[in-house]
């Protein structure tokens, strides 16, 4: 919110001190340069300077409440001219009544009117211009902060939506598998329910976290894989390799699950053979690299299947977080499908929670 000048203690003190200094300088100048009497000189200085300080404070304060969008500089010139005229009329009227019997001073006061007007107009207009620029800059800053806040809220909402969209498909598959196992293999069904419970509990724990350490993400991923291994049995095996240095880095939560889900979908669904999904993590130039590889035979893939929602959601999340399009790379070479995720590290890792 814009801080108004009269509510600013520093501004009030600045006006008061400046007025006091100019009162002394102007009064002394009237005595030394123009040979006026001490009483009339100090009274003239006090009336002119104090009323001028009031005019300066008024224009600075009022411009905080009204500045036309169009013609604001013309408005400023008109306003400062009117205010200067009012200041001159009041100060002249007050001094004439105070020294109505001093003809010599009154003659000097009359001859000084143009100079008084010009100097006061310059001072008042300068303060008005400064105030207008300060208010405009403050409003622009407020507008920028509001826009950034709105964009941040929109980005966070989209990130939350993307994370929520990852769960239903997996959850429905898991429930269907549990339903199928209840009659045939009740022990495996109970095991899968427990693992699903751990997985969902981990999901809720990470709802409000923007960053988590890599080991926590791998633990979350392991819960997911445990469930999938109950579904697919010996056909699915995984290998996780993470450098020691990588364990110190952080990443957005639930970033790897859709990648591995994609690997299972395109590596396992269209074959009866066992497959191994390999997950590797390492550090390079203060960036976390996570690579997921799975067998992939394009000849076995059904035509209606594309790269799926999983990878597109990862690409979108990475862009929303880092404003970069080069953090997700996919390639297929010699029947191996490779997904590489690059995660830049935040500057302050102490606030990743």
């Amino acid at each position: 919110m814009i801080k108004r000048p009269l509510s600013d203690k520093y501004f009030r003190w600045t006006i008061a001190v400046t007025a006091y200094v100019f009162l002394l300088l102007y009064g002394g100048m009237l005595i030394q340069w123009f040979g006026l009497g001490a009483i009339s000189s100090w009274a003239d200085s006090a009336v002119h300077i104090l009323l001028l300080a009031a005019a300066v404070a008024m224009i600075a304060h009022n411009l905080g409440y009204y500045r036309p969008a169009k013609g604001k500089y013309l408005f400023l010139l008109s306003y400062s001219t009117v205010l200067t005229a009012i200041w001159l009329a009041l100060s002249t009227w007050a001094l004439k009544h105070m020294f109505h019997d001093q003809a010599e001073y009154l003659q000097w006061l009359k001859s000084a009117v143009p100079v008084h007007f010009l100097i006061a107009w310059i001072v008042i207009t300068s303060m008005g211009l400064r105030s207008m620029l300060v208010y405009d800059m403050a409003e622009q800053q407020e507008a920028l902060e509001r826009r950034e806040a709105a964009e941040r809220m929109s980005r966070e909402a989209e990130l939350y939506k993307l994370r929520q969209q990852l769960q239903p498909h997996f959850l429905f598959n898991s429930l269907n598998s549990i339903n199928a196992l209840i009659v045939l293999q009740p022990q495996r069904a109970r095991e899968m329910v427990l693992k699903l419970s751990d997985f969902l509990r981990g999901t809720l724990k990470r709802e409000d976290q923007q960053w988590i350490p890599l080991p926590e993400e791998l633990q979350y991923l392991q819960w997911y894989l445990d469930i999938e291994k109950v579904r697919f049995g010996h056909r699915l095996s995984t290998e996780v390799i993470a450098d020691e240095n990588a364990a110190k880095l952080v990443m957005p939560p639930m970033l790897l699950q859709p990648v591995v889900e994609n690997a299972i979908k395109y590596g396992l669904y269209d074959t009866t053979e066992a497959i191994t999904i390999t997950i590797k993590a390492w550090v390079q130039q203060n960036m976390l690299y996570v690579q997921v590889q799975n067998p992939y035979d394009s000849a076995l893939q059904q035509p209606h299947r594309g790269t799926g929602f999983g990878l597109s959601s990862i690409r979108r999340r990475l862009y929303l977080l880092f404003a970069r399009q080069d953090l997700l790379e996919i390639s297929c070479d010699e029947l191996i499908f490779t997904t590489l995720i690059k995660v830049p590290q935040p500057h302050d890792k102490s606030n990743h929670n």
Side-chain angles (χ1 to χ4, degrees):
M1 185 175 180
I2 297 176
K3 194 172 186 179
R4 307 300 174 186
L6 295 184
S7 64
D8 186 350
K9 184 178 180 180
Y10 175 78
F11 178 83
R12 296 197 303 269
W13 272 104
T14 301
I15 291 292
V17 171
T18 303
Y20 178 73
V21 171
F22 275 90
L23 190 154
L24 295 179
L25 290 176
Y26 183 51
M29 184 181 69
L30 292 179
I31 295 172
Q32 295 295 324
W33 289 6
F34 295 96
L36 299 180
I39 295 178
S40 58
S41 295
W42 292 118
D44 183 291
S45 178
V47 170
H48 279 115
I49 297 302
L50 293 178
L51 287 177
L52 184 60
V56 165
M58 181 180 296
I59 194 171
H61 185 73
N62 291 349
L63 286 176
Y65 292 95
Y66 178 74
R67 296 182 310 284
K70 294 182 179 180
K72 60 182 179 181
Y73 292 108
L74 179 61
F75 169 79
L76 172 62
L77 292 177
S78 302
Y79 184 24
S80 60
T81 301
V82 171
L83 196 57
T84 304
I86 294 173
W87 166 83
L88 184 62
L90 286 175
S91 58
T92 302
W93 175 83
L95 289 169
K96 281 183 177 181
H97 279 71
M98 291 172 64
F99 301 102
H100 60 87
D101 56 346
Q102 297 187 22
E104 183 179 353
Y105 170 75
L106 293 178
Q107 182 62 34
W108 177 89
L109 181 63
K110 182 178 180 181
S111 64
V113 165
V115 177
H116 283 151
F117 183 88
L118 179 61
I119 293 175
W121 184 85
I122 292 174
V123 171
I124 293 173
T125 303
S126 299
M127 174 55 74
L129 181 61
R130 173 198 173 276
S131 300
M132 185 171 286
L133 293 175
V134 168
Y135 288 135
D136 286 347
M137 291 177 61
E139 284 189 349
Q140 291 175 7
Q141 182 64 30
E142 282 190 355
L144 178 62
E145 291 176 356
R146 288 196 302 270
R147 184 165 61 250
E148 289 178 347
E151 291 175 353
R152 183 171 60 253
M153 291 176 64
S154 175
R155 185 169 62 250
E156 290 174 354
E158 185 173 354
L159 284 169
Y160 179 79
K161 180 180 178 182
L162 286 171
R163 284 165 58 173
Q164 295 306 304
Q165 285 177 314
L166 296 174
Q167 302 303 333
H169 176 71
F170 162 72
L171 185 58
F172 293 150
N173 284 343
S174 299
L175 292 175
N176 287 333
S177 298
I178 292 172
N179 183 57
L181 290 172
I182 287 176
V183 176
L184 300 177
Q185 301 181 52
Q187 180 59 37
R188 292 184 64 192
R190 285 193 294 271
E191 179 184 348
M192 194 167 181
V193 169
L194 293 176
K195 293 183 182 299
L196 182 60
S197 175
D198 290 337
F199 175 82
L200 295 177
R201 189 180 298 112
T203 300
L204 294 175
K205 180 182 176 182
R206 288 160 176 76
E207 284 298 328
D208 297 325
Q209 292 179 296
Q210 185 177 2
W211 300 94
I212 61 172
L214 175 64
E216 286 191 24
E217 176 70 0
L218 293 178
Q219 176 60 62
Y220 176 81
L221 185 64
Q222 188 60 53
W223 290 331
Y224 166 74
L225 288 171
D226 287 344
I227 297 170
E228 294 294 70
K229 287 178 181 178
V230 174
R231 290 179 60 202
F232 296 105
H234 70 281
R235 293 179 56 211
L236 174 63
S237 60
T238 57
E239 182 181 12
V240 180
I241 305 171
D243 289 350
E244 270 186 38
N245 293 332
K248 303 174 184 177
L249 302 189
V250 296
M251 65 184 300
M254 296 184 285
L255 193 68
L256 297 182
Q257 182 209 332
V259 180
V260 175
E261 185 175 358
N262 194 74
I264 294 173
K265 178 180 178 181
Y266 293 101
L268 195 62
Y269 280 16
D270 293 310
T271 181
T272 58
E273 298 180 1
I275 69 163
T276 299
I277 296 176
T278 304
I279 303 164
K280 296 180 181 179
W282 69 92
V283 184
Q284 186 174 329
Q285 297 179 346
N286 197 38
M287 185 177 291
L288 175 63
Y289 285 74
V290 182
Q291 176 182 275
V292 179
Q293 291 184 317
N294 62 276
Y296 177 84
D297 189 347
S298 59
L300 297 177
Q301 302 301 316
Q302 298 181 13
H304 67 276
R305 287 186 179 168
T307 56
F309 171 76
L311 294 184
S312 63
S313 72
I314 294 300
R315 191 183 302 278
R316 181 62 178 166
R317 281 187 68 188
L318 291 172
Y319 175 75
L320 290 172
L321 289 169
F322 305 107
R324 290 177 56 175
Q325 297 280 13
D326 62 334
L327 299 179
L328 176 65
E329 298 178 4
I330 57 176
S331 60
C332 187
D333 182 31
E334 296 181 358
L335 302 181
I336 296 295
F337 190 88
T338 301
T339 303
L340 178 63
I341 296 176
K342 294 175 280 187
V343 183
Q345 295 300 290
H347 296 295
D348 186 4
K349 297 178 186 175
S350 64
N351 294 326
H352 66 261
N353 287 333

